[in-house]
């Protein structure tokens, strides 16, 4: 199972890298190509073929540079384009799904309420106009968009295998074809025709080409060309020997121009880029334009060489001679001759429609190939090309991090040890207090043995701790600064603990005293980490899971028996959609924990939150939360004077972890039990209906909650790892790491100070 998960994660990571390697360079190169097309449309007459070809070469170079490999610049083309778009849409600030609803004008008849329900004043209904009542509608556009996004995710997952298959086929086909062609050429003898050799040597001397390049006559090619990047050869069809010396000289000079400009090496680079972008229309556009302009540039080199050889000859017209030569060669039937993409030839190895257009462009360019331009014009063009290179080949520079405004982000990290107290009450009466007497002889004895103090001091220690817990209750239930009912504790004459407290607090106190009776008043440190990762990093760490569970749907409950008697109708409603989602759990040693953290931090899209440590007494309960509380108007109630009083519900969104730790009787293990809850407000609808004879609108939030109950026996310094894999709307792996540590306390000779404070 772990092997399959590891393979799946490796596949997902590999496809993401491939898509990043192909898509992002295509987008940035597309922006540069658009700018080059504008230059070609409006400024082509001021640029030579070589200069225009250099601009298309920049597009190809941009395609070859992975994102992040190029230097960053604030003046990059991508940064300038997207910066302009952001300025055009500056009035529309990004917001999350909830804020899209929260920032809209709240439907009347009430103003935006304060956080305190008692301060939400009502407004007269006759001041506002409402639309006809309508139930919430299912958005077809939103549903279609969700299906479209799902389809794109699936499509992008199968693209990399298709890309790899195409690249592999192209590589094998080209290497086999080129290998067979090279082997055939190597079997042919070098040319011994003295006329051709003398013309070839003369051309090499005139252009100062010192390298020895053999000349080979071959019947298997239709056009003259050169091949071999390391050991170049000049290939001529056998029947071209019938051409005149002037025409053969033009052919040889053209091929020498390719050799001097190292176009054979450029062809190999283009072939490597083609393996990556064989599917990409932008590559074929840039590559075709570059090769066509390259041929025009080599033609211009040939004409300049010819003018230098005979500058004063009035009868010599190199442009006309070269045009006639191109037309003669274009009339040759390629037939079944070899067509190889790696060599360079006079007409190029292009199919007929493309070759015909390329030939027409070359004939047109020959008329202005030798026109001299002013040096300032050349300097200005070079500066423009340098500007294109500086902006087009640079990556986007990330802006410096902006300080967050606390008013804009109301997320908070609450870490506290609390008791199982009732929720905040709606009246001035809290839960009634009950009087109970508890036998604490064994607890006092455990405290005495643990701290090395007398039993009298141990009784004081226990009473201080219980008073502290009751003090939390007394401070919680305070109405406008005045305590309502005071919970208290004291010893009777038989040294029994008499506690006057609500039932919920009695239950919490019973849990702690039972834990102390078992293993003493030890303290446990809990360290919590929440992590959101894009991949299953545990599969890479070769750590196995102890359990896999999907039957964690919440049970159905009905509390209609608890509704109060009232003359007016009392309604409570809830909707539960059973969603079974997988949960994985395992225990980690300190070494495995470090290995997992290291693997998680290597994920560039990871989000790891380290919560502060919390220290608990043995048996105490704690809550660690990272929540945002959002208010919603979920109901209306008719008041006197035909006014409507809104009912406001604050819904928490985020993570909440409640746990209890109990040390075993042996003192080396911790029994950890907890409840982990993930909540997210996924949507908010508005419902309009008549209430008390007038139209009213309430908010209907849709909350997605996931609850996980867990219990585990952990040794000291061990970790419990919980994982929720991506399911349904969830796109990332959710991890919770709980690390326990039993704290050692030295023996004391006097009354201890309680280390637990508010």
């Amino acid at each position: 199972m772990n092997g399959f998960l590891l393979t799946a994660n490796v596949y997902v990571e590999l496809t993401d890298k491939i898509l990043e390697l192909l898509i992002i360079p295509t987008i940035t190169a597309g922006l540069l190509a658009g700018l080059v097309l504008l230059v070609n449309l409006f400024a082509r007459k001021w640029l030579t073929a070589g200069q225009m070809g250099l601009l298309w070469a920049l597009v190809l170079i941009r395609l070859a540079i992975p994102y992040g490999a190029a230097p960053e610049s604030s003046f990059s083309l991508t940064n300038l384009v997207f910066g302009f778009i952001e300025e055009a849409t500056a009035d529309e600030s990004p917001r999350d799904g909830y804020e899209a609803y929260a920032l809209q004008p709240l439907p009347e008849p009430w103003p935006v309420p304060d956080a305190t329900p008692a301060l939400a004043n009502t407004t007269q209904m006759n001041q506002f106009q409402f639309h006809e009542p309508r139930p919430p509608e299912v958005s077809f556009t939103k549903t279609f968009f969700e299906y479209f996004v799902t389809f794109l995710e699936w499509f992008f997952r199968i693209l990399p295998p298709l890309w790899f298959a195409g690249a592999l086929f192209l590589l094998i086909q080209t290497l086999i074809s080129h290998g067979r062609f090279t082997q055939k050429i190597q079997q042919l003898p070098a040319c011994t025709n003295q006329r051709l050799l003398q013309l070839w040597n003369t051309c090499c001397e005139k252009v100062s080409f010192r390298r020895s390049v053999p000349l080979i006559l071959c019947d298997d090619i239709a056009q003259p060309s050169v091949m071999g990047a390391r050991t170049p050869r000049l290939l001529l069809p056998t029947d071209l020997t019938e051409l005149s010396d002037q025409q053969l000289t033009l052919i040889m000079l053209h091929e020498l121009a390719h050799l001097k400009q190292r176009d054979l090496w450029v062809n190999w680079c283009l072939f490597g880029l083609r393996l990556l972008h064989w599917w990409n229309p932008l590559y074929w556009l840039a590559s075709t334009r570059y090769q066509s302009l390259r041929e025009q540039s080599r033609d211009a080199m040939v004409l300049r060489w010819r003018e230098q050889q005979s500058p004063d000859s009035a009868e010599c017209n190199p442009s006309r001679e070269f045009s006639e030569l191109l037309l003669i060669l274009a009339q040759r039937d390629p037939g079944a001759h070899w067509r190889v993409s790696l060599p360079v030839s006079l007409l190029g190895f292009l199919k007929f429609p493309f070759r015909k257009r390329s030939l027409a462009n070359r004939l047109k360019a020959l008329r202005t190939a030798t026109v001299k331009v002013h040096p300032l014009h050349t300097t200005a063009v070079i500066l423009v090309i340098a500007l294109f290179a500086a902006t087009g080949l640079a990556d986007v520079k990330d802006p410096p991090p902006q300080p967050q405004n606390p008013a804009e982000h109301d997320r908070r990290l609450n870490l506290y040890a609390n008791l199982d107290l009732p929720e905040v009450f709606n009246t001035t009466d809290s839960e009634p207090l009950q009087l109970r007497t508890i036998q604490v002889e064994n607890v006092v004895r455990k405290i005495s043995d643990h701290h090395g103090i007398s039993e009298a001091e141990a009784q004081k220690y226990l009473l201080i701790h219980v008073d502290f817990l009751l003090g939390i209750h007394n401070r919680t239930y305070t109405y406008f600064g005045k305590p309502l009912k005071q919970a208290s504790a004291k010893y009777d004459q038989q040294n029994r603990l008499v506690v006057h407290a609500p039932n919920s607090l009695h239950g919490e106190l019973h849990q702690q005293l039972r834990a102390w009776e078992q293993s003493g008043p030890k303290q446990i440190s809990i360290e919590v980490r929440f992590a959101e990762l894009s991949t299953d990093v545990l599969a890479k760490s070769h750590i196995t899971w102890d359990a896999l569970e999907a039957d964690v749907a919440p049970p159905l409950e009905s509390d209609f028996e608890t509704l109060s008697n009232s003359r007016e109708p009392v309604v409570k409603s809830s909707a539960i959609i059973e969603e079974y989602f997988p949960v994985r759990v395992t225990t980690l040693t300190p070494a495995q924990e470090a290995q997992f953290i290291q693997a998680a931090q290597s994920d560039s899209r990871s989000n790891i939150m380290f919560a502060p440590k919390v220290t608990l007494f043995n048996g105490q309960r704690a809550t660690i939360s990272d929540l945002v509380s959002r208010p919603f108007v979920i109901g209306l109630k008719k008041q006197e004077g035909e006014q409507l009083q809104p009912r406001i519900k604050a819904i928490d969104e985020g993570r909440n972890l409640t746990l209890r730790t109990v040390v075993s009787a042996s003192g080396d293990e911790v029994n950890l039990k907890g409840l982990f809850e993930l909540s997210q407000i996924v949507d908010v609808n508005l419902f309009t209906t008549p209430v008390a004879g007038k139209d009213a609108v309430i908010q209907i939030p849709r909350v997605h909650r996931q609850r996980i109950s867990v219990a585990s026996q952990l040794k000291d310094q061990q970790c419990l790892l919980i994982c929720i894999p991506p399911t349904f709307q969830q796109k990332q792996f959710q991890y919770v790491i709980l690390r326990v540590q039993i704290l050692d306390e030295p023996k004391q000779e006097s009354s201890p100070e309680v280390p637990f404070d508010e």
Side-chain angles (χ1 to χ4, degrees), residues 11-49:
Y11 173 79
V12 171
E13 287 189 358
L14 186 60
T15 55
D16 289 343
K17 292 294 183 182
I18 292 174
L19 291 174
E20 182 178 336
L21 179 67
L22 301 178
I23 302 299
I24 298 181
T26 299
I27 296 174
T28 54
L31 297 175
L32 183 58
L35 197 57
V36 173
L37 287 174
L38 291 177
V39 172
N40 184 77
L41 182 63
F42 297 105
R44 177 67 180 89
K45 61 182 180 180
W46 291 293
L47 300 178
T48 66

Side-chain angles (χ1 to χ4, degrees), residues 46 164 180 250 253 333 386 427 456 460 475 505 508 674 726:
W46 291 293
F164 180 76
R180 290 174 59 194
L250 291 174
L253 288 176
D333 182 15
T427 65
K460 295 180 181 179
R475 286 187 295 273
L505 190 53
E508 177 67 23

Side-chain angles (χ1 to χ4, degrees), residues 97 122 208 221 254 274 435 607 625 637 718 735:
T122 58
S208 302
I221 60 174
H254 184 91
R274 188 189 310 167
L435 184 64
N607 179 18
S625 62
K637 187 177 181 181
Q718 266 193 339
Y735 290 93

Side-chain angles (χ1 to χ4, degrees), residues 27-189:
I27 296 174
T28 54
L31 297 175
L32 183 58
L35 197 57
V36 173
L37 287 174
L38 291 177
V39 172
N40 184 77
L41 182 63
F42 297 105
R44 177 67 180 89
K45 61 182 180 180
W46 291 293
L47 300 178
T48 66
Q51 294 166 348
M52 198 67 205
L54 185 56
L55 290 179
W56 284 109
L58 293 177
V59 177
L60 294 170
I61 294 173
R62 177 71 264 192
L63 277 176
I65 300 178
Y67 180 75
E72 296 181 350
S73 173
S74 301
F75 299 98
S76 69
L77 183 61
T78 310
N79 206 23
L80 294 175
V81 171
F82 286 99
F84 175 78
I85 296 175
E86 289 179 359
E87 290 180 1
T89 59
D91 294 336
E92 298 182 5
S93 59
R95 33 183 96 153
D96 58 23
Y98 167 78
E99 290 172 346
Y101 291 96
L103 297 181
Q104 294 179 355
L106 199 63
E108 303 293 347
W110 54 86
V112 178
D114 295 332
T116 306
L119 301 179
N121 298 323
T122 58
T123 310
Q124 295 294 333
M125 292 289 295
N126 55 12
Q127 298 177 4
F128 306 96
Q129 299 294 328
F130 292 91
H131 301 289
E132 291 295 326
R134 62 183 185 275
E137 298 179 357
V138 178
S139 174
F140 172 78
T141 304
K142 182 177 180 180
T143 304
F144 174 78
F145 179 75
E146 291 177 354
Y147 279 108
F148 180 71
V149 170
T150 304
F151 170 76
L152 286 182
E153 291 178 353
W154 170 82
F155 180 70
F156 283 128
R157 284 289 172 251
I158 67 172
L159 269 186
L162 296 178
W163 164 84
F164 180 76
L168 184 62
F169 173 77
L170 180 63
L171 175 64
I172 295 175
Q173 181 193 40
T174 304
L175 292 182
I176 291 177
S177 176
H178 182 70
R180 290 174 59 194
F181 182 71
T182 303
Q183 185 179 7
K184 191 175 187 64
I185 295 300
Q186 289 176 349
Q187 294 174 357
L188 296 176

